[in-house]
């Protein structure tokens, strides 16, 4: 009976020591990225809220992106706002034209990769504005995604004349 008691005490001591030693040390895993990336709008960004783009022209998109760990990519989406819908990201409406039915609106959707390992990136893209599209109110949507998959969206109200 005593040997069984000694064996149990010995086993208990081993378990306690193992738990104590495994809880010590610097083997912590890196934290999971839970922060959204940022779209940084400066005076050199383009377009800005209420910008006017000309049909038949080529414009140069510019914006800065930042993340706490690593950026992944960004995408641009230009679509009509002839029905005055919102995306809850616009600051103001820039004085909307009357509601109208689209005939030949512009639709631009493009995704761009950001080189690996970057926490900050200056995004650029050349965008052709077709000459034969409907003029009027449009949304210019900017999305940036980090490597973890978090995404930030910014919508701008623009006009195409």
């Amino acid at each position: 009976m005593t040997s069984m008691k000694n064996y149990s005490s010995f086993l208990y001591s081993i378990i306690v020591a193992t738990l104590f030693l495994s809880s010590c040390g610097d083997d912590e895993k890196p934290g999971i990225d839970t922060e959204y990336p940022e779209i940084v709008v400066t005076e050199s960004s383009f377009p800005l809220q209420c910008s006017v783009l000309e049909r038949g022209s080529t414009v140069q998109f510019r914006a800065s992106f930042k993340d706490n760990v690593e950026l992944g990519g960004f995408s641009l989406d230009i679509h009509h706002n002839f029905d005055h819908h919102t995306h809850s990201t616009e600051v103001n409406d820039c004085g909307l034209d009357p509601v109208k039915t689209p005939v030949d609106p512009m639709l631009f959707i493009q995704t761009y990769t950001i080189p690996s390992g970057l926490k900050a990136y200056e995004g650029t893209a050349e965008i052709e504005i077709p000459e034969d599209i409907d003029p009027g109110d449009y949304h210019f949507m900017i999305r940036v995604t980090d490597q973890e998959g978090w995404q930030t969206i910014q919508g701008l109200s623009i006009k195409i004349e």
Side-chain angles (χ1 to χ4, degrees):
M1 184 82 111
T2 305
S3 72
M4 185 65 136
K5 202 175 200 183
N6 287 341
Y7 179 73
S8 294
S9 294
F10 174 73
L11 189 56
Y12 177 75
S13 298
I14 295 291
I15 291 171
V16 170
T18 302
L19 290 173
F20 177 75
L21 292 174
S22 67
S23 68
C24 297
D26 247 353
D27 294 340
E28 290 185 27
K29 294 180 182 176
I32 296 173
D33 178 11
T34 58
E35 290 186 36
Y36 289 93
E38 295 178 51
I39 300 169
V40 181
V41 177
T42 65
E43 58 190 43
S44 66
S45 299
F46 187 83
L48 297 172
Q49 181 73 5
C50 301
S51 288
V52 176
L53 311 182
E54 296 294 325
R55 291 184 293 168
S57 68
T58 300
V59 297
Q60 185 71 29
F61 165 78
R62 289 184 309 275
S64 298
F65 305 116
K66 288 173 40 177
D67 189 61
N68 63 315
V69 177
E70 183 178 358
L71 291 163
F74 69 97
S75 66
L76 304 176
D77 170 345
I78 302 171
H79 61 271
H80 78 81
N81 186 24
F82 301 161
D83 59 358
H84 298 179
H85 69 273
T86 64
H87 296 279
S88 73
T89 60
E90 297 94 338
V91 177
N92 60 42
D93 65 15
C94 306
L96 295 170
D97 295 341
V99 172
K100 67 180 184 179
T101 303
V103 176
D104 191 15
M106 179 175 180
L107 179 61
F108 177 88
I109 301 172
Q110 185 68 48
T111 300
Y112 305 87
T113 55
I114 295 175
S116 296
L118 297 180
K119 291 183 179 184
Y121 184 73
E122 298 296 318
T124 62
E126 193 170 88
I127 303 169
E128 292 183 28
I129 310 298
E131 192 166 317
D132 58 351
I133 60 163
D134 296 341
D137 300 308
Y138 283 82
H139 284 146
F140 194 111
M141 305 297 293
I142 307 165
R143 290 176 175 84
V144 62
T145 306
D146 68 12
Q147 284 296 333
E148 191 69 30
W150 296 107
Q151 185 177 84
T152 298
I153 302 171
Q154 181 172 5
L156 303 170
S157 294
I158 62 169
K159 289 200 182 281
I160 297 180
E161 296 181 343

